[in-house]
Amino acid sequence: MIQQTLVLIKPDGLQKSLTGNILTRLSETRLDIVAAKVVRVSRELAEKHYCHLKDKPFFEDLIRYICGEFHKRKVMAMVYYGENAIEKVRKLAGATNPEEAEAVSIRGAYGRITTTGVYENVIHCSNNEKEAEREIKLWFNPEEIIVDIYPTKVVKREIEQRVWA
Ligand code: DAT
Ligand code: MG
C-alpha cells in the first residue's frame, strides 16, 4: 500500500544538530522525500496539529515545546512517500515515550524526558492514514509537494503575498 506520512524534526532535534543523523536513519526505509521545509511554528499551527491532545495535562508544555520555546524556534517538516510509509517511519522512530523506545530507534537513541516531564522525542510521524492526511494538509500546500497525493482544485483568489523586493 502506497502511503504518505508527515515527519517533523522537532526543535530539540534541530538544536542538537541531529538533522543529518535522523535523515540518514530515515533513508533506511528507502522511502521518497516528496516535500521538505523549515518552519517557524505558530501557536495556532501547534494547537491544530495536536488538537486531539488538548485535554491532556501535558498539552501546554507540548505546545511550547513544538513551538520551540525551549530551543530554537524551528521545525523541519517533510513528507515521506512510498510502500507502507506510515509503519516504516513509526518503527524507526520508536515509542512515544523516549525512555520506553528501543535503544536503537531514533527516539530511543536521541530522545529524553526533561525534569519537568516534557517528552523531548526529537521526531514526529503520523499515526495512521487519516491523521497523515489531516497533518499533511495542515503543514503543506499542494504546490509544495512534488507528487499528487490528495485531490486538489484551482481557485481564483486575490491575496496579499510577500515577493522579493
Ligand atoms: P506520537 O508522537 O508517538 O504519535 P501521540 O500522538 O500520542 O504520540 O502524542 C503526541 C506527543 O505528545 C508525543 O510525541 C509526546 C507528547 N506526549 C504524549 N504522551 C505524553 C505524556 N504522557 N507525557 C508527556 N508528553 C506526552
Ligand atoms: Mg501521534
Side-chain angles (χ1 to χ4, degrees), residues 10 49-50 52-53 56 58-59 62 65 90 94-98 107 113 117-121 123-127 131 135:
K10 296 181 178 180
H49 178 74
Y50 284 128
H52 55 293
L53 297 170
K56 301 282 186 199
F58 55 81
F59 183 71
L62 179 63
Y65 164 44
R90 282 205 74 89
T96 303
N97 179 339
R107 286 167 164 178
I113 302 180
V118 180
Y119 286 13
E120 288 188 356
N121 56 10
I123 186 176
H124 166 84
C125 43
S126 308
N127 282 78
E131 276 295 279
E135 293 172 359

Side-chain angles (χ1 to χ4, degrees), residues 40-52:
R40 187 155 277 179
V41 180
S42 65
R43 189 168 176 106
E44 187 191 354
L45 173 60
E47 286 183 358
K48 281 185 181 160
H49 178 74
Y50 284 128
C51 60
H52 55 293

Side-chain angles (χ1 to χ4, degrees), residues 81-159:
Y81 176 82
E83 189 66 27
N84 292 326
I86 292 172
E87 195 201 317
K88 279 182 184 159
V89 176
R90 282 205 74 89
K91 193 162 188 308
L92 213 58
T96 303
N97 179 339
E99 301 296 336
E100 286 172 3
E102 261 188 80
V104 294
S105 68
I106 294 169
R107 286 167 164 178
Y110 302 124
R112 67 162 189 160
I113 302 180
T114 68
T115 48
T116 54
V118 180
Y119 286 13
E120 288 188 356
N121 56 10
V122 303
I123 186 176
H124 166 84
C125 43
S126 308
N127 282 78
N128 53 54
E129 287 193 1
K130 200 164 159 253
E131 276 295 279
E133 179 172 355
R134 188 186 73 79
E135 293 172 359
I136 289 168
K137 288 178 175 176
L138 180 63
W139 286 79
F140 287 92
N141 291 318
E143 69 268 19
E144 294 176 309
I145 304 173
I146 61 163
V147 289
D148 294 329
I149 49 181
Y150 305 118
T152 57
K153 63 181 178 186
V154 176
V155 294
K156 219 175 217 151
R157 297 195 286 199
E158 216 168 280
I159 51 164

Side-chain angles (χ1 to χ4, degrees), residues 7-115:
V7 176
L8 304 176
I9 301 179
K10 296 181 178 180
D12 53 326
L14 290 167
Q15 180 127 343
K16 291 175 176 170
S17 273
L18 292 171
T19 313
N21 303 52
I22 292 171
L23 293 178
T24 300
R25 293 300 313 275
L26 288 169
S27 69
E28 288 170 27
T29 63
R30 295 282 184 265
L31 295 167
D32 269 347
I33 301 175
V34 295
K37 62 181 175 182
V38 176
V39 183
R40 187 155 277 179
V41 180
S42 65
R43 189 168 176 106
E44 187 191 354
L45 173 60
E47 286 183 358
K48 281 185 181 160
H49 178 74
Y50 284 128
C51 60
H52 55 293
L53 297 170
K54 65 174 184 300
D55 296 329
K56 301 282 186 199
F58 55 81
F59 183 71
E60 183 58 32
D61 271 350
L62 179 63
I63 296 302
R64 293 179 66 197
Y65 164 44
I66 199 71
C67 285
E69 282 192 31
F70 308 130
H71 305 89
K72 278 188 196 147
R73 282 205 55 208
K74 58 178 178 176
V75 157
M76 186 163 168
M78 292 165 292
V79 178
Y80 275 76
Y81 176 82
E83 189 66 27
N84 292 326
I86 292 172
E87 195 201 317
K88 279 182 184 159
V89 176
R90 282 205 74 89
K91 193 162 188 308
L92 213 58
T96 303
N97 179 339
E99 301 296 336
E100 286 172 3
E102 261 188 80
V104 294
S105 68
I106 294 169
R107 286 167 164 178
Y110 302 124
R112 67 162 189 160
I113 302 180
T114 68
T115 48

